[in-house]
Amino acid sequence: KKYKSEIDAKTIWLTGLPASGKTTMANSLGDTMLKNNIPFIILDGDNIRNTINKDLGFSEEARIENNRRIAHLAKLISDSGIFAIVSTVSPIHEIRKFSRELHGSNKFIEVYIKASIDECVRRDPKSLYSSKNKINKNITGLHNKYEIPKNPDLTIDTEELTISNSKKKLLDFLGIQ
């Protein structure tokens, strides 16, 4: 099934611990959208932090500001008719609530990418957990809290599902084949 123009572009907000699979899910979703001629932009938390938000640190206030900026950018994108796929830890409930309210519930899909801290430490694709040269002790899940979403629109357990099955679950939810 191809993308139907009557489907409004939305922001798909992928949240979860570092190494839970957010970026993998965003890229996999993007591949399918590309094949189906669905316009999208991926806003990856690491890329945004290293570019337009490089002036921010990792205090709770800075994390809130980082995600506030991402939410506004995602809203501009989705309001322009392009899906915004956001891949960011967004560890605090307040951040995700603000983003939903900014977009409106019908334009915002919160997807909790679930994986235990033990599994994330085992995966550790960026050597975040195992680095001997840690600049800070602000790793979400170890040193800072991650508030598990209370009512996400969708939960994808990446310890239970393969990448392919995780993507299928998300595509089915979005009504995209």
Side-chain angles (χ1 to χ4, degrees):
K1 170 171 111 176
K2 295 289 182 186
Y3 174 65
K4 295 180 180 174
S5 60
E6 65 267 14
I7 297 174
D8 288 332
K10 299 178 181 348
T11 291
I12 303 164
W13 194 279
L14 306 173
T15 179
L17 289 169
S20 61
K22 298 176 303 300
T23 298
T24 299
M25 182 59 49
N27 291 332
S28 185
L29 177 59
D31 288 344
T32 299
M33 290 181 143
L34 187 63
K35 289 175 187 166
N36 285 288
N37 298 314
I38 301 171
F40 72 95
I41 293 176
I42 295 174
L43 299 174
D44 182 77
D46 290 336
N47 292 339
I48 298 294
R49 268 222 179 258
N50 291 325
T51 57
I52 63 174
N53 286 349
K54 66 181 176 181
D55 61 315
L56 297 174
F58 288 91
S59 67
E60 186 169 324
E61 296 77 23
R63 290 171 194 263
I64 290 169
E65 177 60 15
N66 177 57
N67 283 272
R68 186 192 70 78
R69 292 178 190 180
I70 293 171
H72 280 283
L73 184 56
K75 183 174 184 340
L76 289 170
I77 291 167
S78 64
D79 284 350
S80 298
I82 299 168
F83 277 83
I85 304 170
V86 176
S87 170
T88 181
V89 174
S90 52
I92 304 167
H93 174 70
E94 170 188 338
I95 291 167
R96 300 183 300 264
K97 181 180 178 203
F98 168 81
S99 300
R100 181 180 297 279
E101 289 171 355
L102 178 69
H103 285 79
S105 286
N106 63 334
K107 298 272 290 180
F108 184 86
I109 299 169
E110 180 182 350
V111 181
Y112 172 39
I113 306 298
K114 180 181 176 185
S116 67
I117 188 67
D118 290 339
E119 178 63 15
C120 293
V121 169
R122 186 192 68 74
R123 292 176 184 169
D124 201 13
K126 299 173 194 163
S127 298
L128 178 68
Y129 297 106
S130 61
S131 173
K132 304 261 189 258
N133 299 319
K134 291 182 185 131
I135 296 171
N136 60 52
K137 297 289 185 187
N138 285 322
I139 300 170
T140 303
L142 291 181
H143 309 109
N144 290 326
K145 65 184 172 188
Y146 177 81
E147 297 173 355
I148 295 171
K150 295 175 185 172
N151 295 302
D153 297 296
L154 182 65
T155 298
I156 297 175
D157 188 333
T158 61
E159 286 184 76
E160 298 292 325
L161 298 173
T162 64
I163 294 169
S164 178
N165 289 338
S166 295
K167 179 172 77 168
K168 183 180 180 338
K169 184 174 181 176
L170 180 54
L171 291 171
D172 288 348
F173 184 84
L174 296 171
I176 299 169
Q177 293 183 338

